[in-house]
Amino acid sequence: MPTPHVLVLGGTTEARRLAAALAERAEVRVTTSLAGRVTRPGAVDGEVRVGGFGGAEGLAGWLREQRVSAVVDATHPFAAGITANAAEAAALTGVPLVVLRRPGWRPAPGERRHTVDSLDAAARELPRLGRRVFLTTGRLGLAAFAHLTDIHFVVRSVEPPEPPLPPRLDVILARGPFTVADERALLREHRIDVLVTKDSGGEATAAKLTAARELGLPVVVVRRPPLPEGVTAVADVAAVLERLGFSRR
């Protein structure tokens, strides 16, 4: 019987946890694919490949060539293009697909949340909400805010963002997780009056929401893109292992 080969489309904390859980099983081969957008990603158990596949057809070819028995899409909830390619490649090859998505953030009592459907919509909200913005939507989406010349932005990312960028911008290079005390201090130091974030979910990045709520600041939250038609998601590593037919250890 051939060794089961699981491809994990990674880049998230959950993907690393899943790879570690699969690598503990001597009877399983696990490969994690990283997009390569971060030059120093965290350590990952098992085999690692870096770079794209060339769309859905390229991914389908790789699945056939490497005799992959299951694909787990554990990418960021906003990596809609990768998820669409994974769904199409799974359909082309008949390889089972499991989507791992940590739950989104539910509004907390007292939170001044404004939910929008896109970064462009978030940018439209800002002029009426504040003039000093803590922008935590990722370094690749700043073009949506580049036209806002009267707003001062503070952006935090692992690596420097690329233009086009807002003209009034401070960049903080740092890697989380961050505590509520960390986030509260940052918001106060930079005199932030509105927070913008994507609904990434998870405890590791939720501290900024708590800090903003404690300080009474409005929060603009970009809603997640929908999953491809017919695709559902599970919420944690244990559910993935169960879906793949591996007993928990």
Side-chain angles (χ1 to χ4, degrees), residues 98-143:
V98 181
V99 177
L100 172 57
R101 289 288 184 273
R102 54 185 179 254
W105 292 313
R106 294 184 177 181
E111 184 176 279
R112 298 172 58 192
R113 179 179 294 203
H114 304 260
T115 303
V116 296
D117 289 326
S118 66
L119 293 176
D120 290 336
R124 290 193 293 270
E125 289 286 301
L126 291 182
R128 69 182 184 86
L129 294 176
R131 285 293 182 270
R132 295 188 64 85
V133 177
F134 184 30
L135 186 58
T136 64
T137 55
R139 66 186 180 92
L140 300 178
L142 301 187

Side-chain angles (χ1 to χ4, degrees), residues 56-57 59-64 68 71 86-96:
E57 291 188 0
L59 175 56
W62 197 90
L63 298 181
R64 295 188 187 101
V68 172
V71 179
E88 185 177 345
L92 289 171
T93 60
V95 174

Side-chain angles (χ1 to χ4, degrees), residues 15-173:
R16 289 194 293 273
R17 290 173 180 167
L18 176 61
L22 291 171
E24 290 178 352
R25 293 163 165 79
E27 75 278 13
V28 178
R29 177 188 173 194
V30 56
T31 301
T32 297
S33 177
L34 302 175
R37 291 174 179 167
V38 177
T39 57
R40 291 181 296 173
V44 180
D45 291 280
E47 300 175 32
V48 177
R49 71 173 301 280
V50 178
F53 292 94
E57 291 188 0
L59 175 56
W62 197 90
L63 298 181
R64 295 188 187 101
E65 177 187 332
Q66 297 296 320
R67 298 185 179 182
V68 172
S69 49
V71 179
V72 181
D73 173 14
T75 56
H76 193 277
F78 284 81
I82 298 175
T83 299
N85 287 341
E88 185 177 345
L92 289 171
T93 60
V95 174
L97 170 67
V98 181
V99 177
L100 172 57
R101 289 288 184 273
R102 54 185 179 254
W105 292 313
R106 294 184 177 181
E111 184 176 279
R112 298 172 58 192
R113 179 179 294 203
H114 304 260
T115 303
V116 296
D117 289 326
S118 66
L119 293 176
D120 290 336
R124 290 193 293 270
E125 289 286 301
L126 291 182
R128 69 182 184 86
L129 294 176
R131 285 293 182 270
R132 295 188 64 85
V133 177
F134 184 30
L135 186 58
T136 64
T137 55
R139 66 186 180 92
L140 300 178
L142 301 187
F145 304 91
H147 65 287
L148 297 174
T149 58
D150 294 332
I151 294 178
H152 188 100
F153 290 92
V154 175
V155 171
R156 183 175 63 203
S157 63
V158 176
E159 297 188 0
E162 299 177 0
L165 302 172
R168 302 175 63 186
L169 176 69
D170 291 332
V171 177
I172 301 172
L173 298 180

Side-chain angles (χ1 to χ4, degrees), residues 101-105 199-202 224 235-236:
R101 289 288 184 273
R102 54 185 179 254
W105 292 313
D199 185 14
S200 301
R224 295 178 176 187
D236 54 36

Side-chain angles (χ1 to χ4, degrees), residues 191-221:
R191 295 178 287 114
I192 299 299
D193 52 21
V194 58
L195 166 68
V196 180
T197 190
K198 292 178 177 178
D199 185 14
S200 301
E203 297 180 0
T205 53
K208 59 194 171 191
L209 295 176
T210 302
R213 185 175 72 251
E214 290 178 354
L215 296 175
L217 304 182
V219 178
V220 179
V221 179

